[in-house]
Amino acid sequence: MIKALRGYVRIVDAMNRGVGRAVMWGLFAMMGILLFSSISKTFFQPSLWTLEMAQFAMVAYYVLGGPYSIQLGSSVRMDLFYHRWTDRRKAWFDAITVLLLIFYLGVLLYGGLGSTAYSFGYWGTEPISYFAGLLAGSEEIGRLERSSTAWRPYIWPIKFIMVLGFSLMLLQAVSELFKDIARINGLEFEGART
């Protein structure tokens, strides 16, 4: 059992580390979009797509980089008492807060799946069965949702990225829970926070 948990932690940490380090470069893409926007507004005809594309890039940067941030333990923490606690007490507190995070991410993931299904033209109330049917070939993609701005891009790519990011965050939160349980029991998993 411990070996399986260690394997899960190692695989999820490696995957989120790779995604997080790749997404770090997205900051430069976002800067490039905003620089082009400034130049085009100053010297040329203003572009319709730059503001919304910068927003999409920021969402992707934030949501896909979130699991790596969780892994590094660089999330914001109010540290009035935490730094004085023993490692075991910190692990108990972290385990409880990670359980709350897992619940929150589950709600976000379910809402994101529903919103993504809607962007594919699904009007029903069961997004998970819709995606299962889409993979099996029994469902079809309907009228694709578009933004209401002048540029009118399709919305499903960014919603898909959000669902992917929420899924990766949920996997990382479970990994952190396993690490906290191991610290409570006096064990240390590879890749654990320091």
Side-chain angles (χ1 to χ4, degrees), residues 54-93:
Q55 290 171 344
F56 289 166
M58 182 63 182
V59 167
Y61 177 76
Y62 177 77
V63 171
L64 293 175
Y68 187 51
S69 177
I70 292 171
Q71 185 183 113
L72 294 176
S74 61
S75 53
V76 176
R77 176 181 290 144
M78 181 121 174
D79 195 6
L80 290 174
F81 308 108
Y82 189 85
H83 70 281
R84 295 184 200 143
W85 292 346
T86 65
D87 286 341
R88 190 160 189 235
R89 188 170 184 183
K90 288 178 184 178
W92 272 105
F93 187 77

Short mmCIF file of all heavy atoms in Angstrom, two decimals, residues 54-93:
data_model
loop_
_atom_site.label_atom_id
_atom_site.label_comp_id
_atom_site.label_asym_id
_atom_site.label_seq_id
_atom_site.Cartn_x
_atom_site.Cartn_y
_atom_site.Cartn_z
N ALA A 54 -4.91 37.94 -24.05
CA ALA A 54 -4.10 38.09 -22.84
C ALA A 54 -4.83 37.52 -21.63
O ALA A 54 -4.21 36.90 -20.75
CB ALA A 54 -3.77 39.56 -22.60
N GLN A 55 -6.15 37.70 -21.57
CA GLN A 55 -6.93 37.12 -20.48
C GLN A 55 -6.89 35.60 -20.54
O GLN A 55 -6.72 34.94 -19.51
CB GLN A 55 -8.38 37.62 -20.54
CG GLN A 55 -8.54 39.08 -20.20
CD GLN A 55 -9.94 39.59 -20.49
OE1 GLN A 55 -10.72 38.98 -21.20
NE2 GLN A 55 -10.24 40.75 -19.92
N PHE A 56 -7.03 35.03 -21.74
CA PHE A 56 -6.95 33.58 -21.89
C PHE A 56 -5.58 33.05 -21.47
O PHE A 56 -5.46 32.03 -20.80
CB PHE A 56 -7.24 33.16 -23.33
CG PHE A 56 -8.66 33.33 -23.76
CD1 PHE A 56 -8.99 33.27 -25.10
CD2 PHE A 56 -9.69 33.54 -22.86
CE1 PHE A 56 -10.30 33.42 -25.53
CE2 PHE A 56 -11.00 33.70 -23.26
CZ PHE A 56 -11.31 33.63 -24.60
N ALA A 57 -4.53 33.77 -21.87
CA ALA A 57 -3.17 33.36 -21.50
C ALA A 57 -2.97 33.43 -19.99
O ALA A 57 -2.32 32.55 -19.40
CB ALA A 57 -2.15 34.23 -22.22
N MET A 58 -3.54 34.45 -19.36
CA MET A 58 -3.41 34.57 -17.90
C MET A 58 -4.15 33.44 -17.19
O MET A 58 -3.64 32.88 -16.21
CB MET A 58 -3.96 35.92 -17.45
CG MET A 58 -3.83 36.17 -15.98
SD MET A 58 -2.09 36.21 -15.52
CE MET A 58 -2.22 36.44 -13.78
N VAL A 59 -5.33 33.08 -17.68
CA VAL A 59 -6.07 31.97 -17.08
C VAL A 59 -5.28 30.68 -17.21
O VAL A 59 -5.14 29.91 -16.25
CB VAL A 59 -7.47 31.83 -17.72
CG1 VAL A 59 -8.13 30.52 -17.36
CG2 VAL A 59 -8.36 32.99 -17.30
N ALA A 60 -4.73 30.42 -18.40
CA ALA A 60 -3.93 29.20 -18.60
C ALA A 60 -2.71 29.20 -17.70
O ALA A 60 -2.37 28.17 -17.09
CB ALA A 60 -3.54 29.08 -20.07
N TYR A 61 -2.03 30.33 -17.60
CA TYR A 61 -0.84 30.46 -16.76
C TYR A 61 -1.17 30.17 -15.29
O TYR A 61 -0.48 29.42 -14.62
CB TYR A 61 -0.27 31.87 -16.93
CG TYR A 61 0.92 32.19 -16.08
CD1 TYR A 61 2.17 31.70 -16.40
CD2 TYR A 61 0.79 33.01 -14.95
CE1 TYR A 61 3.27 32.00 -15.63
CE2 TYR A 61 1.89 33.32 -14.18
CZ TYR A 61 3.13 32.81 -14.52
OH TYR A 61 4.21 33.11 -13.75
N TYR A 62 -2.26 30.75 -14.83
CA TYR A 62 -2.65 30.62 -13.43
C TYR A 62 -3.14 29.21 -13.12
O TYR A 62 -2.72 28.58 -12.14
CB TYR A 62 -3.73 31.65 -13.11
CG TYR A 62 -4.27 31.57 -11.72
CD1 TYR A 62 -3.55 32.07 -10.65
CD2 TYR A 62 -5.51 31.00 -11.47
CE1 TYR A 62 -4.05 31.99 -9.36
CE2 TYR A 62 -6.02 30.92 -10.19
CZ TYR A 62 -5.28 31.42 -9.14
OH TYR A 62 -5.76 31.33 -7.88
N VAL A 63 -4.03 28.68 -13.95
CA VAL A 63 -4.67 27.40 -13.65
C VAL A 63 -3.71 26.23 -13.86
O VAL A 63 -3.70 25.29 -13.07
CB VAL A 63 -5.95 27.23 -14.50
CG1 VAL A 63 -6.52 25.85 -14.39
CG2 VAL A 63 -6.99 28.24 -14.07
N LEU A 64 -2.89 26.27 -14.90
CA LEU A 64 -1.96 25.17 -15.12
C LEU A 64 -0.72 25.27 -14.23
O LEU A 64 -0.04 24.26 -13.99
CB LEU A 64 -1.55 25.11 -16.60
CG LEU A 64 -2.67 24.73 -17.57
CD1 LEU A 64 -2.18 24.82 -19.01
CD2 LEU A 64 -3.21 23.35 -17.27
N GLY A 65 -0.40 26.47 -13.76
CA GLY A 65 0.73 26.62 -12.84
C GLY A 65 0.36 26.38 -11.39
O GLY A 65 1.23 26.21 -10.55
N GLY A 66 -0.94 26.36 -11.09
CA GLY A 66 -1.41 26.17 -9.72
C GLY A 66 -0.95 24.88 -9.06
O GLY A 66 -0.51 24.89 -7.91
N PRO A 67 -1.02 23.72 -9.76
CA PRO A 67 -0.56 22.49 -9.12
C PRO A 67 0.91 22.52 -8.73
O PRO A 67 1.29 22.01 -7.67
CB PRO A 67 -0.81 21.43 -10.20
CG PRO A 67 -1.88 22.00 -11.05
CD PRO A 67 -1.67 23.47 -11.04
N TYR A 68 1.73 23.14 -9.56
CA TYR A 68 3.16 23.25 -9.23
C TYR A 68 3.36 24.16 -8.02
O TYR A 68 4.20 23.90 -7.17
CB TYR A 68 3.92 23.76 -10.45
CG TYR A 68 5.42 23.75 -10.30
CD1 TYR A 68 6.09 22.62 -9.87
CD2 TYR A 68 6.18 24.87 -10.62
CE1 TYR A 68 7.47 22.60 -9.75
CE2 TYR A 68 7.55 24.87 -10.50
CZ TYR A 68 8.20 23.74 -10.06
OH TYR A 68 9.55 23.73 -9.94
N SER A 69 2.57 25.20 -7.94
CA SER A 69 2.62 26.09 -6.78
C SER A 69 2.22 25.35 -5.50
O SER A 69 2.84 25.54 -4.45
CB SER A 69 1.70 27.29 -7.02
OG SER A 69 1.66 28.12 -5.90
N ILE A 70 1.19 24.52 -5.59
CA ILE A 70 0.78 23.71 -4.44
C ILE A 70 1.92 22.78 -4.04
O ILE A 70 2.23 22.61 -2.86
CB ILE A 70 -0.50 22.90 -4.76
CG1 ILE A 70 -1.70 23.84 -4.91
CG2 ILE A 70 -0.77 21.86 -3.68
CD1 ILE A 70 -2.94 23.14 -5.44
N GLN A 71 2.53 22.16 -5.04
CA GLN A 71 3.63 21.23 -4.78
C GLN A 71 4.80 21.89 -4.06
O GLN A 71 5.40 21.32 -3.15
CB GLN A 71 4.10 20.64 -6.10
CG GLN A 71 5.16 19.58 -5.97
CD GLN A 71 5.61 19.12 -7.34
OE1 GLN A 71 6.74 19.36 -7.72
NE2 GLN A 71 4.74 18.47 -8.08
N LEU A 72 5.11 23.11 -4.46
CA LEU A 72 6.22 23.83 -3.85
C LEU A 72 5.87 24.40 -2.48
O LEU A 72 6.75 24.87 -1.76
CB LEU A 72 6.69 24.96 -4.77
CG LEU A 72 7.31 24.55 -6.09
CD1 LEU A 72 7.63 25.78 -6.93
CD2 LEU A 72 8.55 23.71 -5.87
N GLY A 73 4.59 24.39 -2.14
CA GLY A 73 4.16 24.97 -0.87
C GLY A 73 4.23 26.48 -0.88
O GLY A 73 4.37 27.11 0.16
N SER A 74 4.11 27.07 -2.08
CA SER A 74 4.24 28.52 -2.18
C SER A 74 2.90 29.23 -2.17
O SER A 74 2.81 30.38 -2.57
CB SER A 74 5.03 28.89 -3.44
OG SER A 74 4.35 28.43 -4.58
N SER A 75 1.87 28.54 -1.72
CA SER A 75 0.57 29.19 -1.60
C SER A 75 0.59 30.12 -0.39
O SER A 75 1.42 29.99 0.51
CB SER A 75 -0.54 28.15 -1.47
OG SER A 75 -0.25 27.27 -0.41
N VAL A 76 -0.33 31.04 -0.38
CA VAL A 76 -0.37 32.03 0.71
C VAL A 76 -0.87 31.36 1.98
O VAL A 76 -1.85 30.63 1.97
CB VAL A 76 -1.31 33.20 0.32
CG1 VAL A 76 -1.44 34.18 1.46
CG2 VAL A 76 -0.79 33.88 -0.93
N ARG A 77 -0.19 31.60 3.07
CA ARG A 77 -0.58 31.03 4.35
C ARG A 77 -0.43 32.10 5.42
O ARG A 77 0.58 32.78 5.50
CB ARG A 77 0.33 29.84 4.68
CG ARG A 77 0.06 29.26 6.04
CD ARG A 77 0.98 28.10 6.34
NE ARG A 77 0.61 26.99 5.48
CZ ARG A 77 1.49 26.15 4.96
NH1 ARG A 77 2.75 26.30 5.17
NH2 ARG A 77 1.09 25.16 4.20
N MET A 78 -1.46 32.25 6.22
CA MET A 78 -1.39 33.19 7.34
C MET A 78 -0.62 32.50 8.46
O MET A 78 -1.07 31.51 9.01
CB MET A 78 -2.80 33.56 7.81
CG MET A 78 -2.80 34.53 8.91
SD MET A 78 -3.71 35.93 8.37
CE MET A 78 -3.75 36.84 9.86
N ASP A 79 0.54 33.01 8.77
CA ASP A 79 1.47 32.30 9.64
C ASP A 79 1.57 32.97 11.02
O ASP A 79 2.63 33.42 11.42
CB ASP A 79 2.84 32.25 8.96
CG ASP A 79 3.77 31.25 9.61
OD1 ASP A 79 3.33 30.53 10.51
OD2 ASP A 79 4.93 31.20 9.20
N LEU A 80 0.46 33.02 11.73
CA LEU A 80 0.52 33.55 13.09
C LEU A 80 1.07 32.53 14.07
O LEU A 80 1.89 32.85 14.93
CB LEU A 80 -0.88 34.00 13.54
CG LEU A 80 -1.45 35.22 12.85
CD1 LEU A 80 -2.89 35.44 13.30
CD2 LEU A 80 -0.61 36.44 13.17
N PHE A 81 0.59 31.30 13.95
CA PHE A 81 0.96 30.26 14.90
C PHE A 81 1.70 29.10 14.24
O PHE A 81 2.40 28.36 14.91
CB PHE A 81 -0.30 29.69 15.58
CG PHE A 81 -1.18 30.75 16.16
CD1 PHE A 81 -2.39 31.06 15.58
CD2 PHE A 81 -0.80 31.44 17.31
CE1 PHE A 81 -3.21 32.03 16.11
CE2 PHE A 81 -1.61 32.42 17.84
CZ PHE A 81 -2.82 32.72 17.25
N TYR A 82 1.53 28.95 12.94
CA TYR A 82 2.00 27.78 12.22
C TYR A 82 3.50 27.54 12.40
O TYR A 82 3.93 26.40 12.58
CB TYR A 82 1.65 27.94 10.74
CG TYR A 82 1.88 26.72 9.89
CD1 TYR A 82 0.92 25.73 9.80
CD2 TYR A 82 3.05 26.58 9.14
CE1 TYR A 82 1.10 24.63 9.01
CE2 TYR A 82 3.25 25.48 8.35
CZ TYR A 82 2.27 24.50 8.28
OH TYR A 82 2.46 23.40 7.49
N HIS A 83 4.29 28.58 12.35
CA HIS A 83 5.75 28.40 12.41
C HIS A 83 6.22 27.88 13.77
O HIS A 83 7.30 27.31 13.87
CB HIS A 83 6.46 29.71 12.06
CG HIS A 83 6.32 30.78 13.10
ND1 HIS A 83 5.18 31.55 13.22
CD2 HIS A 83 7.18 31.21 14.07
CE1 HIS A 83 5.35 32.40 14.23
NE2 HIS A 83 6.54 32.22 14.75
N ARG A 84 5.41 28.03 14.82
CA ARG A 84 5.80 27.54 16.15
C ARG A 84 5.42 26.08 16.38
O ARG A 84 5.88 25.47 17.34
CB ARG A 84 5.11 28.38 17.22
CG ARG A 84 5.55 29.81 17.25
CD ARG A 84 4.89 30.54 18.39
NE ARG A 84 4.94 31.97 18.15
CZ ARG A 84 3.99 32.82 18.46
NH1 ARG A 84 2.92 32.41 19.07
NH2 ARG A 84 4.13 34.10 18.19
N TRP A 85 4.57 25.54 15.54
CA TRP A 85 4.07 24.18 15.74
C TRP A 85 5.13 23.14 15.38
O TRP A 85 6.05 23.40 14.61
CB TRP A 85 2.84 23.93 14.89
CG TRP A 85 1.63 24.72 15.30
CD1 TRP A 85 1.45 25.41 16.46
CD2 TRP A 85 0.45 24.91 14.54
NE1 TRP A 85 0.22 26.01 16.48
CE2 TRP A 85 -0.43 25.72 15.29
CE3 TRP A 85 0.02 24.48 13.30
CZ2 TRP A 85 -1.68 26.09 14.86
CZ3 TRP A 85 -1.23 24.85 12.85
CH2 TRP A 85 -2.06 25.64 13.63
N THR A 86 4.94 21.95 15.93
CA THR A 86 5.81 20.82 15.58
C THR A 86 5.45 20.36 14.17
O THR A 86 4.39 20.67 13.64
CB THR A 86 5.61 19.65 16.56
OG1 THR A 86 4.27 19.16 16.42
CG2 THR A 86 5.88 20.08 17.99
N ASP A 87 6.35 19.58 13.57
CA ASP A 87 6.11 19.07 12.22
C ASP A 87 4.85 18.21 12.17
O ASP A 87 4.10 18.25 11.19
CB ASP A 87 7.31 18.28 11.72
CG ASP A 87 8.48 19.17 11.35
OD1 ASP A 87 8.25 20.38 11.13
OD2 ASP A 87 9.61 18.67 11.27
N ARG A 88 4.62 17.44 13.21
CA ARG A 88 3.44 16.56 13.22
C ARG A 88 2.15 17.38 13.31
O ARG A 88 1.17 17.09 12.64
CB ARG A 88 3.54 15.59 14.40
CG ARG A 88 2.50 14.52 14.34
CD ARG A 88 2.89 13.34 15.20
NE ARG A 88 1.97 12.26 14.93
CZ ARG A 88 1.27 11.65 15.86
NH1 ARG A 88 1.43 11.97 17.12
NH2 ARG A 88 0.44 10.69 15.54
N ARG A 89 2.15 18.43 14.11
CA ARG A 89 0.96 19.27 14.22
C ARG A 89 0.72 20.04 12.92
O ARG A 89 -0.42 20.21 12.49
CB ARG A 89 1.12 20.24 15.38
CG ARG A 89 -0.13 21.01 15.69
CD ARG A 89 0.00 21.77 16.97
NE ARG A 89 -1.25 22.43 17.28
CZ ARG A 89 -1.42 23.22 18.31
NH1 ARG A 89 -0.42 23.45 19.15
NH2 ARG A 89 -2.58 23.77 18.54
N LYS A 90 1.81 20.48 12.30
CA LYS A 90 1.66 21.12 10.99
C LYS A 90 1.05 20.16 9.98
O LYS A 90 0.21 20.53 9.17
CB LYS A 90 3.02 21.60 10.47
CG LYS A 90 3.58 22.79 11.18
CD LYS A 90 4.95 23.15 10.61
CE LYS A 90 5.59 24.27 11.36
NZ LYS A 90 6.93 24.59 10.86
N ALA A 91 1.50 18.90 10.01
CA ALA A 91 0.98 17.90 9.08
C ALA A 91 -0.51 17.67 9.31
O ALA A 91 -1.29 17.51 8.36
CB ALA A 91 1.75 16.60 9.21
N TRP A 92 -0.95 17.62 10.57
CA TRP A 92 -2.38 17.48 10.87
C TRP A 92 -3.17 18.66 10.31
O TRP A 92 -4.21 18.49 9.68
CB TRP A 92 -2.61 17.38 12.38
CG TRP A 92 -2.54 15.99 12.92
CD1 TRP A 92 -1.53 15.44 13.65
CD2 TRP A 92 -3.51 14.96 12.75
NE1 TRP A 92 -1.81 14.15 13.95
CE2 TRP A 92 -3.03 13.82 13.42
CE3 TRP A 92 -4.74 14.88 12.11
CZ2 TRP A 92 -3.73 12.62 13.45
CZ3 TRP A 92 -5.44 13.69 12.14
CH2 TRP A 92 -4.94 12.58 12.81
N PHE A 93 -2.68 19.85 10.56
CA PHE A 93 -3.36 21.05 10.08
C PHE A 93 -3.39 21.07 8.55
O PHE A 93 -4.43 21.39 7.94
CB PHE A 93 -2.66 22.29 10.63
CG PHE A 93 -3.38 23.57 10.33
CD1 PHE A 93 -4.51 23.93 11.05
CD2 PHE A 93 -2.93 24.40 9.33
CE1 PHE A 93 -5.18 25.10 10.77
CE2 PHE A 93 -3.59 25.57 9.04
CZ PHE A 93 -4.72 25.92 9.76
#
